[in-house]
Amino acid sequence: MKQNDYDTIFASSNQYKSAIKIIRISGEHAYKIPKIFNFKKPSSRLFALKKLTYKNKLIDYAPVIWLPKSKSFTGEETFEIYIHGSLVIEKLIYKILSSYKNFRLAEPGEFTRRATINGNIDLVQAESINDIINSQTERQLEIAHAQLDGSLSKIVNNWRNDIINLSSLIESLIDFSDEDLPKENFSLFRNNLDKIQNKIKRAINTAKLSYFIRDGFTVAIIGKPNVGKSSLINALTNLETSIVSEIPGTTRDIVHQKIDLKGLPVILYDTAGIRKTNNIVEKKGVELALNIIKKSNLILNLSDHGKFDLKYLGSQIFKQSKTKFINVTTKVDINKKIYKNADIEVSSKTNLGIDTLLEKIYKYLSNLEPKESSLITSERQVLHSKKALNALNRIKKLSIIDETELIAEELRLASKHISNITSFIDNEEILDKIFSSFCIGK
Ligand code: GDP
């Protein structure tokens, strides 16, 4: 626990001028709030409109709620004040509170961090709060909600129970002499080990896909210069989609745009940089573009003359890659010839075929989407799951007869890694990593 975990912290729900702002104050000294602002402490968990004054000066008329520590999000004494959303009132309150000993502005994620430290939520739920706030599509929100309601925590606890059962099974064998070993327990052990390994493996695999739900599916648009790549991105982003974020590119960056395609976050990459080149700056661009292609979920391969060969890329990556290609003939408004090997024909000028192309992209990507909704999603969760799986995999190489002690040790290790997914770890570095990305006020 950090030294300043004992401070009483405060923050407001937003940093802008707005109709209302909620100022939350949490910590040991929060009970002083009524005294500081000269109002009578309201009954717990009931809104009461109060006149807030400080040294005879009116601060605001505002509903106030008192949440005793057994009933608050943080697990600490908490007050929330619903002030008029003026920056002046906010600043005034901050100034007053900061003048009191042990009161300070909260750091990003600090309320959630305290809720975790005090056991009101587990680490997975803490991470999901950040995901909920940052979600950009309904599907992302759905997954984040599933984690917040504890579905993932339940699954993870089941894994742990399965491993503990394996431990009991193996420990029961330690006391037997070699001749008396109950052989039927061997196959029971092997079967149950297989089952739990498969469960964790599946979760890790679906996690890969849920990254896409959270961070976006990658669609690379490739083709020779002037074939119409950036025009196509414009057409795709202007029609039936909304731009989530726009990141302008320089010659060395890859221009990309994130769109919300019927709930799927999709990042469209314009790989204009790809060309054989000796120029160092351009080489960097080529490298970046090839990397994007490698990690893409889908490639739109553009041509305005019906030839879709990829020789100009001068790369072997497509031979190994299983990535799906859609061959797109562009500029069909001026290009009347029909090319047989195209999957679709479009015109970014007249929007001909653009709807159909979006539909094709959606159809393909939504099939990649994981069907189960309770998933491990964060890198941290995947890392612990992998470590647990590795420990279980190592057991496969051990002999149940001669190496029971080693097996028991690997099971303990696996169980510890599984616990680390959800349980609070007193490790500043990990906690800082989780909570530093939060917005202030959470
Ligand atoms: P990029 O280099 O592959 O990104 O190609 P651009 O999108 O910059 O397009 C190159 C040229 O082709 C520009 O002059 C565009 O206006 C033109 N162009 C792109 N798409 C179409 C199209 O569908 N129809 C017509 N007529 N011209 C197009």
Side-chain angles (χ1 to χ4, degrees):
M1 202 178 255
K2 277 187 187 173
Q3 185 57 36
N4 60 9
D5 276 343
Y6 298 102
D7 287 344
T8 293
I9 52 172
F10 54 87
S12 80
S13 50
N14 65 58
Q15 275 82 53
Y16 318 104
K17 180 170 83 175
S18 53
I20 54 165
K21 273 175 189 283
I22 306 164
I23 297 193
R24 182 191 270 161
I25 305 125
S26 170
E28 228 181 294
H29 301 281
Y31 74 90
K32 293 178 184 159
I33 293 300
K35 202 156 170 249
I36 295 174
F37 293 108
N38 289 306
F39 63 84
K40 195 168 152 270
K41 187 176 181 179
S43 310
S44 81
R45 305 171 73 204
L46 285 180
F47 274 106
L49 182 66
K50 297 290 180 190
K51 181 180 175 185
L52 276 64
T53 62
Y54 186 72
K55 292 187 178 161
N56 294 326
K57 190 167 143 185
L58 177 64
I59 309 292
D60 199 8
Y61 289 93
V64 171
I65 191 163
W66 166 47
L67 302 165
K69 63 179 172 187
S70 60
K71 299 289 182 195
S72 76
F73 170 62
T74 53
E76 297 175 330
E77 193 77 4
T78 300
F79 269 90
E80 284 179 1
I81 307 173
Y82 292 63
I83 59 167
H84 288 103
S86 136
L87 297 171
V88 180
I89 302 175
E90 180 184 22
K91 270 195 199 145
L92 208 53
I93 291 180
Y94 280 13
K95 200 166 110 189
I96 295 166
L97 291 177
S98 304
S99 71
Y100 282 80
K101 199 169 167 248
N102 299 321
F103 276 80
R104 67 167 167 84
L105 195 62
E107 287 167 22
E110 204 168 4
F111 291 109
T112 311
R113 181 183 175 121
R114 289 187 176 192
T116 316
I117 293 175
N118 293 326
N120 275 1
I121 52 172
D122 62 33
L123 273 186
V124 169
Q125 289 169 316
E127 284 167 325
S128 72
I129 289 176
N130 202 26
D131 288 348
I132 286 175
I133 296 165
N134 291 318
S135 59
Q136 292 176 325
T137 68
E138 286 179 31
R139 188 74 182 102
Q140 290 171 328
L141 183 64
E142 226 173 80
I143 291 182
H145 270 149
Q147 294 206 341
L148 183 63
D149 83 2
S151 328
L152 175 63
S153 309
K154 268 182 229 136
I155 290 175
V156 168
N157 285 336
N158 285 341
W159 291 352
R160 211 175 132 253
N161 287 339
D162 288 350
I163 294 174
I164 291 172
N165 288 339
L166 281 177
S167 291
S168 328
L169 199 58
I170 207 75
E171 268 156 30
S172 73
L173 299 178
I174 293 178
D175 298 331
F176 283 96
S177 65
D178 287 0
E179 305 84 63
D180 301 332
L181 278 170
K183 297 279 187 303
E184 65 280 7
N185 282 2
F186 285 21
S187 54
L188 186 63
F189 180 82
R190 291 265 178 236
N191 281 342
N192 289 351
L193 180 64
D194 274 349
K195 272 190 205 152
I196 174 71
Q197 276 177 308
N198 285 335
K199 281 186 202 169
I200 300 177
K201 228 183 274 173
R202 215 174 47 233
I204 294 171
N205 286 339
T206 50
K208 273 186 214 148
L209 292 175
S210 65
Y211 280 153
F212 301 134
I213 298 289
R214 214 174 57 166
D215 298 333
F217 290 89
T218 308
V219 176
I221 301 186
I222 65 169
K224 290 183 179 173
N226 282 326
V227 76
K229 295 182 292 298
S230 53
S231 306
L232 182 63
I233 290 202
N234 286 340
L236 290 173
T237 48
N238 286 335
L239 222 80
E240 295 212 359
T241 57
S242 55
I243 298 170
V244 178
S245 66
E246 192 168 357
I247 302 111
T250 67
T251 39
R252 288 173 57 183
D253 284 331
I254 304 285
V255 181
H256 59 290
Q257 257 172 349
K258 197 166 183 179
I259 59 171
D260 176 351
L261 185 55
K262 296 196 223 171
L264 294 183
V266 178
I267 311 170
L268 300 169
Y269 282 90
D270 180 351
T271 61
I274 303 187
R275 218 167 319 170
K276 276 188 191 168
T277 175
N278 290 322
N279 178 313
I280 293 177
V281 177
E282 280 230 338
K283 251 191 183 149
K284 184 82 191 150
V286 170
E287 219 172 276
L288 277 173
L290 287 174
N291 278 337
I292 292 293
I293 291 180
K294 267 191 227 168
K295 67 163 209 185
S296 289
N297 300 101
L298 177 66
I299 292 170
L300 304 185
N301 185 20
L302 271 50
S303 167
D304 55 4
H305 57 277
K307 278 206 185 110
F308 294 96
D309 71 78
L310 300 162
K311 278 187 206 131
Y312 70 96
L313 291 169
S315 165
Q316 293 296 308
I317 55 168
F318 299 105
K319 292 203 174 127
Q320 304 125 31
S321 160
K322 288 190 204 113
T323 314
K324 157 102 174 153
F325 271 72
I326 297 180
N327 286 335
V328 184
T329 301
T330 54
K331 309 184 189 178
V332 291
D333 53 303
I334 49 167
N335 196 356
K336 304 285 183 208
K337 213 168 139 200
I338 292 174
Y339 298 106
K340 281 195 189 118
N341 48 354
D343 297 310
I344 183 161
E345 295 170 347
V346 300
S347 162
S348 305
K349 211 159 222 169
T350 64
N351 282 338
L352 185 91
I354 299 291
D355 263 341
T356 323
L357 179 58
L358 277 173
E359 193 52 45
K360 262 187 195 290
I361 297 172
Y362 175 76
K363 213 167 159 187
Y364 181 74
L365 296 180
S366 57
N367 269 332
L368 294 179
E369 195 191 351
K371 297 294 169 258
E372 299 156 55
S373 64
S374 308
L375 307 149
I376 50 174
T377 47
S378 78
E379 268 177 62
R380 190 191 61 79
Q381 295 161 8
V382 172
L383 187 74
H384 289 305
S385 307
K386 278 188 177 161
K387 283 186 177 171
L389 188 62
N390 288 343
L392 297 177
N393 287 342
R394 287 194 294 269
I395 296 177
K396 281 265 161 84
K397 296 186 194 108
L398 297 170
S399 148
I400 298 185
I401 299 175
D402 304 323
E403 294 171 304
T404 24
E405 303 267 6
L406 281 179
I407 294 178
E409 185 49 37
E410 294 290 10
L411 287 171
R412 267 194 291 278
L413 208 59
S415 160
K416 191 177 138 267
H417 289 307
I418 297 292
S419 301
N420 284 348
I421 297 177
T422 50
S423 59
F424 170 68
I425 327 150
D426 202 359
N427 181 323
E428 285 302 324
E429 215 177 299
I430 296 176
L431 289 177
D432 285 348
K433 204 169 164 204
I434 293 176
F435 295 108
S436 61
S437 62
F438 274 52
C439 12
I440 200 143
K442 282 284 156 239

